[in-house]
Amino acid sequence: MQHITSTGRSFDAFRLARERGVLEGTLDVAVAPRLADRLADGVTGIDPLCWRIAGTRDAAGRPALAIAIAGRVPVTCQRCLAPLVVAVDRQTVTLLAKSEQDADALDAGSADEVLVADHALVPSELVEDELLLTLPFAPTHEPGACVAGKA
């Protein structure tokens, strides 16, 4: 098994799956461009999000990536507009397709996510994608936990 700590460079997803390689690293969500409008302002002291991308195969032997992300993400409560820290712990298996046509065929026959990997992929972009799929659309504090006087 190949084990690489990523420096943000791109990789060949099919090769990673074939070689059962592993990429891992961290992502500072505060500087992730596609997350900027989802994050709470002024929250400090949040550790970077940890991620791991492992090449694998699904039960049918098709190439896939096992993507895991874990950490805490500061968002804004949509009820009281105060900061709220959301814990993230997501593991996903994503099938690899060589084209849109292959992706459509895989998507029709599987409950797994499908990714067209017809070009080199960037780990941070995959991690941002997973995070965007994981974060709640309208995050709120638990009932009764909003900042007094704003809810």
Side-chain angles (χ1 to χ4, degrees), residues 14-149:
F14 284 99
R15 179 178 176 198
L16 193 72
R18 184 176 55 252
E19 295 176 359
R20 305 287 174 131
V22 174
L23 302 172
E24 57 186 9
T26 59
L27 175 70
D28 181 354
V29 295
V31 298
R34 293 184 298 145
L35 298 172
D37 65 340
R38 303 286 304 271
L39 302 178
D41 292 328
V43 177
T44 60
I46 300 292
D47 290 332
L49 188 81
C50 296
W51 58 264
R52 183 176 197 269
I53 301 170
T56 189
R57 296 204 170 267
D58 73 350
R62 298 174 294 201
L65 298 177
I67 304 170
I69 58 175
R72 300 173 339 130
V73 180
V75 295
T76 301
C77 173
Q78 297 303 297
R79 188 177 295 129
C80 70
L81 302 179
L84 163 67
V85 177
V86 174
V88 173
D89 188 7
R90 178 178 170 102
Q91 293 83 35
T92 305
V93 174
T94 302
L95 296 176
L96 299 175
K98 293 186 181 209
S99 67
E100 288 292 336
Q101 185 177 357
D102 289 345
D104 290 343
L106 286 171
D107 202 26
S110 175
D112 291 323
E113 293 181 23
V114 178
L115 173 68
V116 176
D118 60 352
H119 59 283
L121 303 178
V122 178
S124 61
E125 291 176 3
L126 286 179
V127 172
E128 282 184 59
D129 289 345
E130 288 302 314
L131 193 51
L132 287 167
L133 291 170
T134 301
L135 290 175
F137 178 71
T140 58
H141 287 102
E142 293 294 322
C146 283
V147 176

